[in-house]
Amino acid sequence: MPKVVVAEKAGACYGVERALELAREAAESAQQCVTLGPLIHNPKVVDELRAQGVGIADTPEDVIGGTVIIRSHGVVPAVIDELTARGIHIVDATCPYVAKVQHAAENLTAEGYFVVVVGEEGHPEVEGICAYAGSDVLVADSVDKIPSQLPSHRIGVVVQTTQTMKALTEVVSALLPQAYELRVHNTICQATQQRQEAARALAAQVEAMVVVGGRNSGNTTRLAQICREQNVRTYHIEDAEEIDPAWFAGVGTVGVTAGASTPLSQIESVVARIESL
């Protein structure tokens, strides 16, 4: 039986716990309750919520009444306006740290900066941030996404909450030659940084790593990437049932970490499964 070590910081963050609590409270008090898109990037949790009466609406048009819960990643302001105009009851489960990025982007635009969002293009959190920044905004999660000439030399930077310091540093360094004035808001969530640092430290000490969380979760995927960068065997799983005993043949120590949208119960089931091998 391999020894299992759980990262010092792992699993669900404040924003996710808050969103789940709001969703469960809404399900108890509303006859009809849906989230606008998945509440969090964790398919197993989304299935559990569905069983508790919390459905999913893919678009605002799919919300036909009752209560709608705004996902933890936030939405573009126009969506809130549309739902409000239709008289839909809204429960806003946007993570407070995501809301902080949205307002930082909005303020930078109002102050005349060209806004660069360090993040994944198409990610729902990033789409919401961009909407607050306005129509003229650049999304870049790597240096090769930065054009040779930006429309302004006054540049303001915000960061998707689950990005890495490495990505932020590299993008900012690439922007410097084009900037007369560069204003950077480091809006990486502290919980994200703590989980990344803890995963990196643990991966350097064990023979294999298991990362628990949705494959559609950006922050969980980055944890797996960080572990692999430590040259340790890394397995990204969503559920304990995915574990293959062959992964740990001859392995003495296994590290376990989990993304910010992974509840403690899922971590515990993975640890129990590995310890039972």
Side-chain angles (χ1 to χ4, degrees):
M1 179 181 72
K3 177 183 177 182
V4 181
V5 182
V6 179
E8 184 177 349
K9 297 289 184 180
C13 63
Y14 164 74
V16 166
E17 295 284 11
R18 174 180 175 273
L20 290 172
E21 182 178 351
L22 288 172
R24 288 164 181 153
E25 288 176 354
E28 291 176 0
S29 60
Q31 290 185 338
Q32 184 174 344
C33 182
V34 298
T35 61
L36 190 54
L39 182 70
I40 61 174
H41 281 158
N42 186 311
K44 187 171 182 179
V45 171
V46 169
D47 287 343
E48 291 170 356
L49 286 173
R50 188 180 288 110
Q52 295 169 26
V54 182
I56 298 178
D58 293 325
T59 68
E61 292 74 26
D62 294 331
V63 181
I64 57 175
T67 294
V68 62
I69 304 165
I70 302 302
R71 62 195 298 173
S72 59
H73 303 99
V75 294
V76 303
V79 168
I80 300 290
D81 295 340
E82 176 186 340
L83 293 170
T84 300
R86 290 170 51 199
I88 304 294
H89 179 240
I90 298 172
V91 174
D92 191 354
T94 303
C95 172
Y97 297 104
V98 172
K100 180 180 177 182
V101 190
Q102 293 172 342
H103 295 309
E106 185 177 38
N107 290 338
L108 284 169
T109 297
E111 293 168 13
Y113 292 91
F114 174 74
V115 176
V116 176
V117 181
V118 182
E120 299 169 62
E121 193 166 8
H123 189 284
E125 178 187 332
V126 174
E127 290 179 345
I129 295 168
C130 289
Y132 277 86
S135 58
D136 195 14
V137 60
L138 172 68
V139 177
D141 57 2
S142 62
V143 172
D144 58 9
K145 303 285 180 64
I146 300 171
S148 58
Q149 187 171 352
L150 294 176
S152 173
H153 296 296
R154 295 186 74 230
I155 303 169
V157 177
V158 295
V159 197
Q160 181 183 358
T161 57
T162 57
Q163 278 294 319
T164 64
M165 276 300 300
K166 179 182 177 183
L168 173 59
T169 302
E170 290 178 353
V171 170
V172 168
S173 296
L175 290 171
L176 276 170
Q178 295 198 50
Y180 294 154
E181 183 181 352
L182 183 62
R183 186 171 175 187
V184 179
H185 289 271
N186 178 4
T187 48
I188 298 174
C189 174
Q190 185 179 22
T192 295
Q193 288 183 287
Q194 290 173 338
R195 280 151 183 74
Q196 291 174 355
E197 291 167 2
R200 185 178 292 106
L202 181 57
Q205 301 170 23
V206 298
E207 297 168 70
M209 283 292 297
V210 176
V211 181
V212 189
R215 292 186 177 85
N216 60 341
S217 165
N219 77 83
T220 307
T221 300
R222 273 184 281 280
L223 286 178
Q225 177 185 350
I226 287 168
C227 292
R228 293 187 182 104
E229 288 172 354
Q230 308 309 306
N231 295 316
V232 64
R233 277 188 281 170
T234 300
Y235 305 97
H236 180 177
I237 64 172
E238 292 185 349
D239 189 272
E241 295 177 1
E242 297 177 39
I243 293 173
D244 183 347
W247 293 347
F248 310 117
V251 171
T253 56
V254 177
V256 174
T257 188
S261 52
T262 306
L264 178 61
S265 59
Q266 292 184 11
I267 300 173
E268 291 175 338
S269 66
V270 167
V271 171
R273 169 68 174 144
I274 297 172
E275 289 181 340
S276 71
L277 299 177

